[in-house]
Amino acid sequence: MRYAFYFDQTRCMSCNSCSVSCKDWNQVNPGPVRWRKVATYKADGGPIAMFNLAMSCNHCEEPACLAACSQNAIIKKDNGIVYVDRSKCIGLQLCITACPFAAPHIADDKQEPEQKSSWTIAHPMQKCDMCMSRVEKGEKPVCVASCVGHALDFGDFETLKSKYPDAVQLNSSDFPYAYANNKNETGPSMLIKKRTRTVTLNNGN
């Protein structure tokens, strides 16, 4: 079993219901940290094409964040879920530099005003944990459950591949705009149905 996300670019309306519900469920206070974010990208050259992308931590097969963490604060479960033990984080932020997708986050004092007694530092790294508590009860992550356009799905990686045969695994060739820090191929557990239809602006003629 290897859990994964599926995202359909042709169905996403960029309504942000996934990112809002994620913050609410995980009690992430208002501020710059977003465990799931929605962005719209413009393709370079040719007719104007816009691509929505809703993305969180991709719970990679070979997580670069885990390899970079000297404190063993980042853990990968047998089912593929990658999560952080915030009590072990000492704020080196090597995970942030290593992650190709800018998934690890550090809050500020306004967003995280109270330090928990188990934390070594005021703002240990935080990120998507695939809603582990929901998944353990047989429920889907809250972002998937709240997606009004049914652009998100969740399940076993191989099962999703069979369910959505026109989807491809997230990669730097097809989705260069998804990569923030580097383009290391870490085996992200995310399948995407790519939008290929272009949207041409009316020039008024």
Side-chain angles (χ1 to χ4, degrees), residues 149-204:
H150 303 288
L152 284 168
D153 202 355
F154 169 83
D156 173 65
F157 184 82
E158 295 300 327
T159 302
L160 289 175
K161 283 175 66 176
S162 298
K163 185 177 179 181
Y164 303 106
D166 54 352
V168 297
Q169 186 175 9
L170 176 63
N171 63 83
S172 59
S173 296
D174 291 317
F175 310 98
Y177 46 86
Y179 289 71
N181 296 329
N182 52 67
K183 293 187 177 180
N184 294 338
E185 297 298 357
T186 53
S189 297
M190 184 175 181
L191 296 166
I192 303 181
K193 180 179 179 180
K194 186 178 180 181
R195 179 176 182 173
T196 57
R197 181 174 62 87
T198 59
V199 179
T200 304
L201 295 183
N202 188 338
N203 62 10

Side-chain angles (χ1 to χ4, degrees), residues 25 31-32 46 63 65 73 84 92 94-95 135 140 170 191 202:
W25 176 264
C65 60
V84 57
L92 298 178
L94 298 176
C95 57
V135 171
K140 292 186 175 183
L170 176 63
L191 296 166
N202 188 338

Side-chain angles (χ1 to χ4, degrees), residues 53-64:
L53 182 64
M55 195 166 66
S56 63
C57 170
N58 292 309
H59 302 269
C60 299
E61 192 171 13
E62 298 179 9

